[in-house]
Amino acid sequence: TYLAGLIASAPGASLPVKAFAPWAILFLTLAVLSLVLWRTWAWRALAIPLALIGLMGATGGAPFDLAVPATGDSAALRLPSGQLAVMGQKPSAFAAEQWLRADGDARLSADARSGVACDDLGCVAKAIDGRFVALVAERGAFLEDCTRAAVVVTPLYAPAGCAAPIVIDRRKLGETGAVALRFRADGVEWTAARAIDEDRPWSPAPRA
């Protein structure tokens, strides 16, 4: 136990890495198998291109600029500095840790709050591309945030007249589950945990 604790506390013992691309682990596994199963060096050399492809996927996982859980009561937003910030009055420490670790960030969730302004009605922060993102916790914030923010995130049902270009509310999250957005120059790339027409036993589609 003492040696395990000593090794774990050594500098560099724990190195956070960004989330892999889904196909990266397959090519890395094939590289290892090629190296240990084949008997000739000519066949073993096949491990080199497989490992290179796998490493490309390991370092090129799809990043996100905004992640919202299915509950809609918190979010992870990439700030202009490039770091993630956790939004929400009482964000889940577990969810925040998963967002940070997926980004290769070793900070604790409590340390990832700078750059976010919160009050009793919700939170607001500026995204990496300069657009404002508002997390609405109380209905009283809709009047201002729907007109000023580019993205509105809320666990509530947003009013039908909300003028924000992107609204991620209870109705939207009921259709998609958790979502991750990437802000690009030519638009916004969405990744949803569930397609609108999917109906799973552990994640049923919302009732019509």
Side-chain angles (χ1 to χ4, degrees):
T1 303
Y2 171 76
L3 289 177
L6 183 64
I7 293 173
S9 62
S14 178
L15 181 63
V17 295
K18 292 187 177 183
F20 283 19
W23 47 266
I25 191 65
L26 173 63
F27 282 94
L28 291 174
T29 302
L30 291 175
V32 173
L33 292 176
S34 297
L35 188 62
V36 300
L37 292 182
W38 300 119
R39 295 186 176 182
T40 63
W41 285 107
W43 279 102
R44 287 179 178 177
L46 182 63
I48 297 176
L50 292 173
L52 291 175
I53 296 173
L55 290 174
M56 289 175 58
T59 58
F64 59 88
D65 297 321
L66 175 65
V68 182
T71 55
D73 58 354
S74 60
L77 177 68
R78 193 171 305 281
L79 303 177
S81 64
Q83 283 190 315
L84 287 181
V86 179
M87 303 179 67
Q89 294 170 320
K90 294 182 180 180
S92 166
F94 176 77
E97 181 179 335
Q98 301 311 305
W99 291 325
L100 293 171
R101 297 301 174 269
D103 201 52
D105 194 331
R107 291 177 299 163
L108 298 176
S109 60
D111 299 328
R113 304 279 290 169
S114 60
V116 179
C118 294
D119 58 21
D120 293 338
L121 299 180
C123 301
V124 64
K126 183 183 290 187
I128 188 170
D129 63 348
R131 73 181 74 195
F132 279 94
V133 176
L135 193 149
V136 177
E138 299 291 340
R139 290 199 168 275
F142 280 125
L143 181 61
E144 180 178 359
D145 290 337
C146 279
T147 57
R148 298 181 59 182
V151 181
V152 169
V153 178
T154 179
L156 309 171
Y157 288 105
C162 187
I166 299 175
V167 178
I168 305 174
D169 65 347
R170 185 174 179 181
R171 183 178 297 102
K172 179 68 175 179
L173 292 170
E175 297 174 348
T176 63
V179 294
L181 279 63
R182 189 174 183 186
F183 303 134
R184 297 178 176 273
D186 57 349
V188 178
E189 179 182 318
W190 289 69
T191 302
R194 179 184 65 222
I196 294 177
D197 58 349
E198 283 184 326
D199 189 6
R200 305 166 179 169
W202 61 91
S203 181
R207 294 180 180 179

